[in-house]
Amino acid sequence: QVLLVESGGGLVQAGGSLRLSCVPSGSIFFRFFNTMGWYRQAPGKQRELVATITTGGRTNYGDSVKGRFTISRDNAKNTVSLQMDSLKPEDTAIYYCNGRSYEGSDYWGQGTQVTVSS
């Protein structure tokens, strides 16, 4: 079973930065995931897109994070990272790593808490 493990969450002041990383828990073959990305869910809100990236490097960002967050990936290792700069209190949420295989199956991590204080 493929599991994704996130790290890098924590507490930061507004205007600060954090870097999230996501790695698979087991050994999977090269370029298992077509698309990898990050989603987040704040209390009382639906899960929303933060950013995704394909094996070809095409990226897609949620409107609220454009210009502040940067997603990157290592295709060989099936890992994905999210650099978050100029953080705002409204970025506070649980951040989930996602990987979608070429067969269309979705894999999720357990989530990592990001809290931005004002």
Side-chain angles (χ1 to χ4, degrees):
Q1 182 180 4
V2 178
L3 296 176
L4 297 171
V5 181
E6 304 99 337
S7 62
L11 173 64
V12 65
Q13 289 188 332
S17 298
L18 283 174
R19 184 176 180 85
L20 306 182
S21 296
C22 173
V23 299
S25 63
S27 177
I28 54 178
F29 61 85
F30 179 73
R31 290 194 177 186
F32 179 82
F33 295 117
N34 180 19
T35 302
M36 298 191 77
W38 294 90
Y39 292 76
R40 67 186 184 186
Q41 187 166 18
K45 295 187 177 181
Q46 291 187 331
R47 189 173 296 190
E48 65 174 359
L49 166 73
V50 176
T52 60
I53 184 168
T54 67
T55 50
R58 186 173 72 249
T59 58
N60 183 39
Y61 291 92
D63 289 340
S64 62
V65 306
K66 286 180 180 177
R68 300 187 297 121
F69 291 9
T70 303
I71 190 170
S72 59
R73 68 181 287 177
D74 183 330
N75 289 328
K77 297 180 180 179
N78 288 287
T79 61
V80 64
S81 297
L82 183 70
Q83 178 66 39
M84 305 186 294
D85 298 317
S86 301
L87 283 161
K88 304 176 181 179
E90 50 263 44
D91 294 317
T92 295
I94 299 175
Y95 284 69
Y96 296 92
C97 177
N98 170 265
R100 175 166 292 182
S101 71
Y102 284 89
E103 290 72 34
S105 296
D106 276 314
Y107 298 84
W108 293 92
Q110 295 292 320
T112 185
Q113 177 71 46
V114 171
T115 302
V116 184
S117 63
S118 57

